[in-house]
Amino acid sequence: MNLADDLRRIVRGDVDDSASARELVSRDASVYRVVPEVVVRPRDAKDIQTLVTYVNEKRRQGESVSLTARSAGTDMSGGPLTASIVVDMLKYFSRVTKVEDGHAEVLPGTYFRDFDKATKATGQELPSYTASREICTVGGMVGNNAGGEKNLKYGKTARYVESLDVVMADGMVHTLKNLEGAALKAKLAEHGFEGDVYRACSNILQKDKMVIERATPTVEKNSSGYALWDIGDGVTRLNLARLMVGAQGTLGIITNIQFKLTKPEPYAAMLVVFVKDLHDLGPFVPEVLKFKPDSFESYDNHTFSLAVKYFPEFAAQMKTNIISLGLSFLPEMWMALTNGIPKLVLMIEFRGDSQEEVLKKVRELHDHLDPLSMTERMHIVKNERGAKKYWTIRHEAFNLLRKKVRGKRTAPIIDDFVVPPPSLPEFLPRLITILDSYRFPYAVTGHVGDGNFHIFPLLDFKDPRFASLMRELVEKVHTLVLSYKGSISGEHNDGLIRTPYVEKQFGPEMYALFVQIKKIFDPLNIFNPGKKVGLTLDQSASHLDLLR
């Protein structure tokens, strides 16, 4: 009897080992392809408990079986890919169960767009949504600790996770949340698996406090490693839900999420700035940040050129006609004609409770920047409708590259690094020098306000030099990023692409703690193995999707 037949006997949900089903989940948005042995769509948490019990037993018998949770498959890191069992949460775990004042409960396979519709109906939102908000799920957002255009003001997903129901390695559902005082003391005294996990984590936080402090990322955004620096001291506070956020399903399988919600501000205005020389960012970035904008985003000259070249596609995306869209871009065209194509286009957005309020903020920033000789390259966008074209360009750059350039594919391999914003004037020219030396097309978009950039090279995956070229480029960029005390991942996580570099970022002592954490939560390595820890460069390269 094969694995699929075994699972059909014990699981009430769907078990599918057809070639088409396995191929469908063999890719995400990364550069990898891994074909699983079987796809299981669990009907409920009880099914997942059954899977965990079954896989544990198989592991004890020496069989290489594991569980990897997956929802929409929009991950750019290879996080939900496995050669064993895919646990597909999309079919049965897709429901918003409760929306209250300030809170909501939702199942992890729910598309964010549906969750957003349900919360917006009550005048609330989860503000950590990403550029892929129309196609990603909330489970993926939690698994990667996603952030997006509102991160500068509102922070990443971890800030909004109040509790998680998780099937852990003992095959039981556990509710993880922040525990303090008497509640934590009682949990640390508990017998059983959960108590053991709490005690082991508490011991690490106390015994290895100095190691954790030295390795804690100094940049605002990080999705690499396990967030030991952000879960408490293990004595007065311990939040294992926070450890689960960003863990990419390597510590257990999430079955229910409780989010904290915010009330969105309905009005927006934007200051758009054309930057001709990256060194101009030196005095500019800190001055902008003093005004505390809601968003401080960017896209580069390559993305700008794509927008010009594929104007009809942008018009269709915005549901407008080419003539009206062209007229709306007259100020930008004039700036380009008089000052040249910009190296970066900066989008600085303010939101508030009235249009007058946000326009006042934008005009104050505009006037404040006047002494920096930027005025002739700035344009005030007075409302959200006017800003839509900029957001469309910012969001669609990756898709345009992927769809329009023939013979090559977008390669998200250096797509998510973070450096301290004050270092950008020095860092970005050094980065561009590296990229331009390879003579391939690429686009750069980024969250300037927190120093998080996304770079998408276009490469020929059939080129026999691709694997070595990729490794060389990644090594150069990561070395540069870490020389500025940055992070290799701000929001896309480690997965197959960055796990081999986690030790390079955090050092051997901290990496050893990550290995301990994995062992504490997952003694038999049944949950998404080879992500976060335990993957070599050669193992990562063996999964490259070189067939297309």
Side-chain angles (χ1 to χ4, degrees), residues 274 334-335 338-339 366 370 373-379:
F274 276 24
W334 176 250
M335 283 195 285
T338 55
N339 291 286
H366 179 281
D370 185 43
S373 301
M374 303 288 285
T375 307
E376 75 278 5
R377 289 175 271 153
M378 295 191 292
H379 171 55

Side-chain angles (χ1 to χ4, degrees), residues 419 427 430-431 434 475-484:
V419 293
F427 171 85
R430 293 181 66 185
L431 174 69
I434 292 173
E475 183 66 34
K476 285 182 180 180
V477 172
H478 285 175
T479 298
L480 180 64
V481 167
L482 296 178
S483 74
Y484 285 90

